[in-house]
Amino acid sequence: MLRKVIVFVVMSLVSLSVFATDKSSFSEYSKHRMKGEIPLYFSDSQTAKPVKGLEIHLESEDSDFEETATTDRKGFATFSDLDDGEYIVTINSDIYVEEEFYLEILAGIPLTWRFSVTKAPESGSLRIVLDWGESPRDLDLHLEQSGGYHISYRDSRTAADGSAWLDVDCISGYGPETITVGKWTRGKVYTVYVVDYTDRSRTYSDALSKSGATVRVYNENGLVKSFSVPSGNGNRWDICTIKNGEVTDAGTISELY
């Protein structure tokens, strides 16, 4: 069943389904590519909207090349005359978490050109961000609290007590898809996993493992841990559990049904 693009407000928290923003950013990306530029796009992990004014530092891992650019109002930082190879993309900001991303350019084309950035959650909070490639079109991020809520697009989009919510849902590839825990409870176990909704009926599909998906977990101090999807067949990726702020890896691909 196709999902409708909806915008709803729950306790002043806005959860979005992303579609139009993706079409706009891809159009802008194409314009830059036609000029021979390497455009990198940065969006807010809670709204999926472009972020203006980010300082983006690009450093080659293969040479002495370094260059800095600032994102424009459409969220793009552009670079020119980049050689093929591997680069480290560093985010410098007073508002967003400062972190590094990996970039590879092959035959003059960036294999990844979209990145999401996040603001550090408040003390006692957690934020979980899912990003991936063009396909599958629809991956769903899930968070289950032991004996409590289950946050995802298809379950509860906000906990009954308002302590956790789905910030943004993506149905057109790339992400971000984000869940925030406003206040985690000591002694409770939080289980994080991803379901390949696009291939929900293909239980032995390898599309999820080839999606390039990453999940990042943040607390008030910034990035706690980052995970990359492992190889394997199945449409569910068990990522980690979190208890009392401690993150334990799972890292398995399995069949959902």
Side-chain angles (χ1 to χ4, degrees):
M1 180 176 63
L2 293 177
R3 291 195 264 185
K4 296 179 181 179
V5 179
I6 62 174
V7 178
F8 64 95
V9 181
V10 180
M11 298 178 65
S12 300
L13 298 171
V14 181
S15 178
L16 305 171
S17 283
V18 181
F19 184 73
T21 302
D22 285 333
K23 294 177 69 174
S24 175
S25 63
F26 188 80
S27 175
E28 193 66 21
Y29 169 82
S30 299
K31 291 178 183 177
H32 285 292
R33 290 295 297 140
M34 290 179 67
K35 297 177 184 177
E37 298 171 333
I38 302 292
L40 304 181
Y41 175 72
F42 297 84
S43 64
D44 185 295
S45 68
Q46 290 178 271
T47 66
K49 293 182 178 180
V51 179
K52 177 184 177 182
L54 284 179
E55 183 181 286
I56 309 301
H57 183 72
L58 194 63
E59 182 175 356
S60 172
E61 292 201 300
D62 306 311
S63 70
D64 295 330
F65 174 87
E66 290 185 54
E67 190 173 320
T68 299
T70 302
T71 55
D72 60 19
R73 64 183 181 84
K74 295 183 178 180
F76 280 92
T78 56
F79 299 87
S80 301
D81 301 321
L82 297 183
D83 293 332
D84 286 0
E86 299 175 348
Y87 295 81
I88 298 297
V89 180
T90 305
I91 312 299
N92 296 310
S93 173
D94 295 329
I95 300 174
Y96 291 88
V97 173
E98 296 187 0
E99 55 185 312
E100 294 183 345
F101 297 95
Y102 170 81
L103 170 69
E104 183 176 2
I105 297 177
L106 183 64
I109 300 173
L111 301 188
T112 302
W113 58 275
R114 300 169 60 103
F115 305 89
S116 66
V117 293
T118 195
K119 299 171 184 174
E122 297 179 357
S123 179
S125 300
L126 294 169
R127 182 159 296 125
I128 304 159
V129 182
L130 165 67
D131 292 288
W132 69 99
E134 182 179 3
S135 63
R137 302 294 282 173
D138 194 356
L139 297 185
D140 284 338
L141 180 63
H142 291 249
L143 176 71
E144 294 187 24
Q145 181 200 62
S146 58
Y149 54 71
H150 181 176
I151 303 294
S152 78
Y153 183 90
R154 302 203 157 270
D155 296 278
S156 296
R157 292 171 215 164
T158 187
D161 61 0
S163 63
W165 55 89
L166 177 67
D167 292 286
V168 62
D169 173 70
C170 180
I171 60 175
S172 55
Y174 297 108
E177 185 151 316
T178 302
I179 293 174
T180 296
V181 180
K183 188 71 176 178
W184 56 267
T185 303
R186 180 163 291 278
K188 292 286 188 178
V189 176
Y190 297 84
T191 301
V192 182
Y193 62 95
V194 168
V195 170
D196 177 2
Y197 184 77
T198 298
D199 298 288
R200 60 195 178 279
S201 62
R202 300 175 60 231
T203 57
Y204 208 62
S205 168
D206 63 355
L208 176 56
S209 69
K210 293 180 177 179
S211 67
T214 62
V215 168
R216 290 168 287 146
V217 179
Y218 300 87
N219 63 15
E220 65 268 25
N221 297 315
L223 181 66
V224 177
K225 203 154 193 178
S226 179
F227 301 89
S228 297
V229 64
S231 59
N233 294 82
N235 49 15
R236 170 171 168 151
W237 171 26
D238 288 287
I239 300 160
C240 66
T241 57
I242 306 170
K243 183 177 181 180
N244 300 332
E246 296 295 323
V247 180
T248 302
D249 297 15
T252 59
I253 293 276
S254 61
E255 296 179 16
L256 178 60
Y257 301 114

